[in-house]
Amino acid sequence: MINENDIARSVRKAIDGYFRDLDGERPSPIYDMVIQCVERPLIESVLARTDGNQTLAAELLGMNRNTLRKKMKAHGLK
């Protein structure tokens, strides 16, 4: 068995459920769907943890501040 953390197990469970719910229908592009579903709450949580400090949040996320700001804008976050 793969050694997984809670996040990986949650993603795996959600994807398995997604495929079950398709009931034979063709899936949409899964990678983009998952990234869109995960990215916003991830950014929101990290920003909350850093009290809105974008420089620190970007560092914790492993991206530069401009990339974080671009992603925040794409997700409608302030």
Side-chain angles (χ1 to χ4, degrees), residues 5 8 13 15-16 24 26 36-37 48 50 78:
N5 61 29
K13 183 179 177 182
I15 293 298
D16 289 346
R26 184 170 176 87
Q36 288 298 313
C37 290
T50 61
K78 293 183 180 186

Side-chain angles (χ1 to χ4, degrees), residues 3-72:
N3 185 13
E4 294 182 315
N5 61 29
D6 290 340
I7 296 170
R9 278 190 293 277
S10 294
V11 171
R12 185 179 307 283
K13 183 179 177 182
I15 293 298
D16 289 346
Y18 172 74
F19 279 114
R20 273 193 309 277
D21 291 346
L22 284 175
D23 195 31
E25 294 294 318
R26 184 170 176 87
S28 64
I30 298 166
Y31 180 82
D32 289 339
M33 177 187 71
V34 171
I35 296 303
Q36 288 298 313
C37 290
V38 172
E39 193 171 56
R40 181 185 175 114
L42 173 62
I43 291 170
E44 288 173 325
S45 294
V46 173
L47 283 168
R49 179 67 63 170
T50 61
D51 294 323
N53 183 322
Q54 293 177 14
T55 301
L56 183 54
E59 182 180 318
L60 291 174
L61 289 165
M63 62 180 69
N64 72 45
R65 191 171 147 277
N66 289 335
T67 300
L68 174 60
R69 291 178 58 82
K70 179 181 172 187
K71 289 178 179 292
M72 288 172 63

